[in-house]
Amino acid sequence: MKIKFKLNLWATIVVAGLASMLVACDTSTEEVVVSAPLFKVGQAVSTKTPLSGSIKGTLLSDSTYKVGGDVFINEGDTLVIQPGAKIHFPGDKPYCFVVKGSLLSLGTEAKPVYFTVPSVAKTDILGADPTTDPAYKGFWGGIYGETTFKNIIIKWTHLEFGGGKLGTSPVSYMANGATSYVLSTKNPDGILVLEDSWMYGCIDDPFRPFGCKFNVMRNTFEKGGFTGGESMNIKSGNVGIFAYNLIVGSATNGPKASNNGGVNPQTNVQFYNNTIIASGFRRSSAGRGGSINFEEGSRGVYYNNLMVNCKYGPRIVGATANYNGNALVVADTANIKGGYNYCYVDSLKIANEIYPTGFATKPSVNDIPAPNSFLPATYKPGAVYDGSAIVGKNNPMFVNFPLPQTTKKMGDVSFVGSFNFRLQATSPAIGKGYTGFTPLNVVPVSATFGSSAITPPNKDIGAYPSDGTGNKH
């Protein structure tokens, strides 16, 4: 026992001495950072064979995959897409991703994922003829969450040139030959996250959910819909948040909430801190198009939204009406709250529709411009008024976007390009927001199976608050 003790004591002294020598020799203060491994499930999917049929596993980082047919992720299965992966569609077939289980597209800011058509180039030219713009042609189908889908998580991902016309529909709730949506779901219990991503072009709605719990945050929507379509057209069975999104040049509205379809739960949406530019001008119907819309039994809130040269301001349908054959059904007006919204306009026609004629949108004393600066003291929601006093007033002062707008038509602006819709330090939108409500946190916060963060409302108005917590594009 004594010998053993002495050996152990000697070993301890030696080890301690060596440790001291190593510490003495290490004069560097540099920390070694070991990167976490990329999230992966199952086997890696080969790049040698075009994607088609039932697939599960992982599409590997920085790899290119060609699509050769409709892709199905079966119930209980998961397909993970790692950062930097590219999914290329041929462009001549309306191929779709049909999700019956879970799809996780986990791009990063440094390495976004792409769903695109490599043979098609963007033609972002102010005033270009939309009839020749490939953004409105629909070169592939869409990503569909079937009635059994569990998770569709899309982060830092480009979704480009989709929304074409289907042939034989691969999804239960879309008809053969129907115009596709780039992203759609039909399961009120499914989780959908779209964050820090880009949606570019579509024939109709880029995003139309028929049922899910969603968080749609910090995205950029460009050229949504040819002659009709919203950036997000929400139907019944949906509850969630649409916030910190930049929408440029939607055909009709930016986002629209409707309880159409009769699926529980009732549509309940929070629209806050969005920036919506030049939307509503490719939809020619009277009473249609513009910025934010509640109709047909939907409920929710709309705060801190910045709208510039949109055809209409926030529109709440307060009575069943018909506009050029378009039926509009009353929203759940008792359960809709809003205010602290900012509208800038460069024409009298749209100044007269900041509070749309014939609708139930109520002015808020905290709106910009102040309602009492142009509305008569006897104003009632939906009444005609003269907005000439506010044309060209209250410039929000973007970092790089010319106001007054210098293009020939308000609808000429349909893409971001080199514009920068962040606010200058002296913008009148800073400090004018409202934070006194709680976000609808209906999705989990998770690096993989949920939202990276639920960004709360901000004291500034628009998608780019001065504290840097909003849209990163």
Side-chain angles (χ1 to χ4, degrees), residues 272-286:
Y272 64 86
N273 282 99
N274 299 290
T275 295
I276 308 173
I277 309 294
S279 291
F281 295 102
R282 289 192 306 281
R283 183 66 178 267
S284 60
S285 301

Side-chain angles (χ1 to χ4, degrees), residues 92-128:
D92 59 350
K93 301 288 184 182
Y95 293 142
C96 299
F97 274 58
V98 180
V99 185
K100 300 178 181 180
S102 294
L103 171 66
L104 314 177
S105 180
L106 305 179
T108 64
E109 185 171 6
K111 291 187 175 184
V113 170
Y114 279 82
F115 285 72
T116 192
V117 183
S119 61
V120 180
K122 295 179 180 179
T123 56
D124 292 341
I125 301 171
L126 288 173

Side-chain angles (χ1 to χ4, degrees), residues 286-288 295-296 315-331 357-359:
R288 289 284 195 179
E295 64 180 57
E296 200 160 350
R315 191 189 67 174
I316 298 173
V317 180
T320 300
N322 191 289
Y323 292 84
N324 289 0
N326 292 280
L328 299 176
V329 182
V330 63
T357 304
F359 292 91

Side-chain angles (χ1 to χ4, degrees), residues 202-466:
C202 194
I203 295 176
D204 197 351
D205 302 318
F207 189 5
R208 182 184 286 198
F210 295 93
C212 66
K213 299 174 182 177
F214 65 85
N215 189 48
V216 178
M217 274 192 172
R218 305 181 302 274
N219 304 288
T220 297
F221 297 84
E222 301 169 272
K223 298 187 176 183
F226 176 39
T227 57
E230 277 88 10
S231 59
M232 185 175 181
N233 187 346
I234 304 162
K235 302 302 183 183
S236 63
N238 289 283
V239 177
I241 299 171
F242 186 96
Y244 295 97
N245 299 293
L246 171 65
I247 301 106
V248 183
S250 280
T252 313
N253 296 285
K256 180 180 85 174
S258 167
N259 198 49
N260 177 276
V263 176
N264 288 325
Q266 177 189 10
T267 295
N268 185 7
V269 188
Q270 293 181 331
F271 298 129
Y272 64 86
N273 282 99
N274 299 290
T275 295
I276 308 173
I277 309 294
S279 291
F281 295 102
R282 289 192 306 281
R283 183 66 178 267
S284 60
S285 301
R288 289 284 195 179
S291 54
I292 292 171
N293 180 41
F294 286 94
E295 64 180 57
E296 200 160 350
S298 61
R299 62 180 296 185
V301 304
Y302 62 108
Y303 291 107
N304 306 344
N305 300 289
L306 174 54
M307 294 148 283
V308 171
N309 286 333
C310 290
K311 186 177 177 182
Y312 293 92
R315 191 189 67 174
I316 298 173
V317 180
T320 300
N322 191 289
Y323 292 84
N324 289 0
N326 292 280
L328 299 176
V329 182
V330 63
D332 184 1
T333 55
N335 291 296
I336 297 174
K337 296 180 180 179
Y340 299 79
N341 294 295
Y342 193 130
C343 286
Y344 172 89
V345 297
D346 277 324
S347 90
L348 178 59
K349 184 175 182 180
I350 58 179
N352 290 340
E353 297 292 347
I354 284 179
Y355 300 107
T357 304
F359 292 91
T361 309
K362 296 179 180 179
S364 166
V365 295
N366 303 106
D367 289 342
I368 300 175
N372 64 7
S373 68
F374 65 101
L375 295 178
T378 57
Y379 176 79
K380 301 293 183 184
V384 175
Y385 62 88
D386 178 6
S388 56
I390 57 170
V391 175
K393 303 294 177 62
N394 301 295
N395 188 332
M397 299 178 65
F398 293 126
V399 169
N400 177 28
F401 183 70
L403 291 174
Q405 198 167 309
T406 57
T407 53
K408 294 180 181 179
K409 298 183 296 183
M410 298 301 174
D412 285 349
V413 181
S414 59
F415 57 89
V416 176
S418 61
F419 297 132
N420 186 336
F421 294 101
R422 289 169 175 80
L423 302 174
Q424 296 182 38
T426 54
S427 168
I430 291 176
K432 301 299 175 56
Y434 175 61
T435 61
F437 64 99
T438 302
L440 280 168
N441 296 347
V442 295
V443 306
V445 175
S446 168
T448 51
F449 289 95
S451 192
S452 299
I454 308 294
T455 308
N458 199 276
K459 64 179 179 60
D460 299 338
I461 293 176
Y464 298 95
S466 56

